[in-house]
Amino acid sequence: MIIRPITPKDLDALMQIAVESGPGFTSLMPDRDALSRKIDHSVESFARTVTTPGDEHYLFVLEDSATGQIMGTTGIEAAAGLSRPLVHFRRNAVIHHEEDPRKRHAEESLTRCQHYTGCTEVCSLYLRPGFRRANAGKLLSRVRFLFMALHPERFADTVIAEMRGVSDHAGRSPFWDWLKHHVADLDFMSATQLACCGQSGFVERFIPATPLFTRQMTDAARAVIGQVHEDTRPARHMLEREGFRHRGFVDLLDGGPTLECARSDIASVRDTLLTRARLQKGNRSSWNIAGNTVGSAIVANAGCSGFRATVTEQVLPNPDANSLSVPEQLANELNLGGYSLACYLPLGQSREESQGRQQPCQKPVTEEIRYAH
């Protein structure tokens, strides 16, 4: 499995993924022209010299190196909400004050807001059902944080993830089924297409600025506020292990939760290590060298448009020499030359879990590192 930046030749596969993923996966809608523009924007983003995050959008594909088939996608929006508003509902507890203190009570409301403008957003993670195998999901999720560790200047201090809310196979959302009768009689798919395409005035025309009280909702709509689609549960679990938390902001259309974490607090950001590649013949069992076994790890070069990453057990780090022993064949697949910059992220326990404290990332001189999602 090789992670690499998307290219124009991947358009057919990306269109297939957009269709497979179904309604509610708003970052990849089945519109061939829109997907082609998304690919072009990603290619251009990889080519930029960046000192502060802007409108860059980086999209990766996961490729089966044996067949060339595209297994899935994953992406990062460098600074969401700059070119068009990023709007959520904020969950609030409203206190109703009465003259008699015994009659005071609290109830929940949802209020439209723009809270996360300029935050980095992880998005577009989709692993196709026919390609689900060991470590594929971890690779798609955690490679984004490895990239953030390499190039913190490309990203905001806060990272968010808008999680897909509850909807059925027919594309019906319990949350939207209630909301549409109060704002716009559109089916869920039409509403998500409008929101995804950034139709001017959609939010202002259809989503009220005044609070919506959850007691007025149907039981089905109220039950899914802050809940995720069944296919999204593993992704949410992985993000929560990274340190992401739900702070009460939910999607306007399906009620799905937005999770957030300070970039510097993300476990995989802290655990990503930069080193130098030392190429070795054969596989690890035949090497007569000293090193530390790390088990499964994400290993990557430190390139930009030529970025490559994979999951492997065939590497051996030597912290004393600041080197990573890599089989020559694997190095070729990752475009790693001898003693070129490489990075790795162990997929076992984080250092915080295993040692009970935070450890800083090890980095060589920063001017040698140049990498973009």
Side-chain angles (χ1 to χ4, degrees), residues 3-7 38-50 55-61 74-76 147 151 154-155 301 303-308 370-373:
I3 284 272
R4 60 170 175 79
I6 199 166
T7 66
K38 186 181 287 286
I39 291 174
D40 291 342
H41 186 197
S42 177
V43 171
E44 196 271 334
S45 296
F46 276 97
R48 289 183 188 175
T49 298
V50 175
D55 71 343
E56 296 83 26
H57 182 83
Y58 309 107
L59 188 59
F60 282 140
V61 291
T74 193
I76 308 178
F147 173 60
H151 286 280
R154 291 183 174 267
F155 302 103
N301 66 32
C304 183
S305 58
F307 178 80
R308 298 290 185 275
R370 192 56 53 195
Y371 169 81
H373 191 296

Side-chain angles (χ1 to χ4, degrees), residues 15-30 126 164 167-171 188-189 192 229 231:
M15 181 66 184
Q16 196 170 3
I17 287 172
V19 172
E20 284 180 13
S21 58
F25 196 66
T26 55
S27 63
L28 292 177
M29 298 296 286
Y126 184 76
R164 182 179 182 181
S167 61
D168 62 20
H169 295 295
F188 182 58
M189 189 64 176
T192 55
H229 191 280
D231 292 343

Side-chain angles (χ1 to χ4, degrees), residues 59-261:
L59 188 59
F60 282 140
V61 291
L62 179 61
E63 181 178 314
D64 185 322
S65 57
T67 66
Q69 291 179 290
I70 301 303
M71 303 167 59
T73 60
T74 193
I76 308 178
E77 191 88 26
L82 296 184
S83 58
R84 66 184 188 198
L86 187 62
V87 189
H88 294 86
F89 280 130
R90 182 201 300 266
R91 302 178 76 172
N92 302 293
V94 179
I95 306 296
H96 292 277
H97 293 279
E98 304 289 347
E99 290 185 8
D100 185 348
R102 292 172 299 179
K103 294 182 179 180
R104 292 175 185 172
H105 64 282
E107 63 177 326
E108 185 180 55
S109 69
L110 302 178
T111 305
R112 197 183 83 195
C113 67
Q114 296 179 36
H115 177 74
Y116 288 117
T117 300
C119 296
T120 291
E121 181 180 3
V122 291
C123 56
S124 304
L125 192 157
Y126 184 76
L127 179 60
R128 301 174 68 183
F131 294 98
R132 290 175 183 172
R133 61 185 70 164
N135 289 326
K138 287 183 180 180
L139 176 58
L140 283 169
S141 181
R142 298 180 70 176
V143 74
R144 301 174 295 189
F145 306 129
L146 175 149
F147 173 60
M148 292 179 193
L150 283 167
H151 286 280
E153 74 279 3
R154 291 183 174 267
F155 302 103
D157 292 337
T158 299
V159 181
I160 65 172
E162 295 183 289
M163 310 302 291
R164 182 179 182 181
V166 176
S167 61
D168 62 20
H169 295 295
R172 291 187 300 268
S173 158
F175 186 82
W176 180 253
D177 281 349
W178 175 84
L179 187 61
K180 71 178 182 180
H181 296 300
H182 298 266
V183 297
D185 194 15
L186 293 171
D187 62 77
F188 182 58
M189 189 64 176
S190 298
T192 55
Q193 286 177 331
L194 283 173
C196 181
C197 297
Q199 292 286 340
S200 177
F202 170 77
V203 171
E204 287 74 14
R205 292 205 322 268
F206 295 140
I207 308 297
T210 54
L212 298 170
F213 291 97
T214 59
R215 61 176 166 77
Q216 299 171 334
M217 293 182 173
T218 62
D219 291 342
R222 191 166 48 246
V224 299
I225 298 173
Q227 302 303 310
V228 298
H229 191 280
E230 61 181 353
D231 292 343
T232 306
R233 289 172 189 164
R236 179 174 188 169
H237 179 66
M238 280 192 286
L239 288 173
E240 289 175 338
R241 284 180 60 84
E242 294 285 350
F244 282 76
R245 295 294 180 265
H246 177 42
R247 305 298 185 190
F249 297 90
V250 301
D251 186 77
L252 291 177
L253 305 184
D254 61 21
T258 292
L259 310 184
E260 67 172 87
C261 189

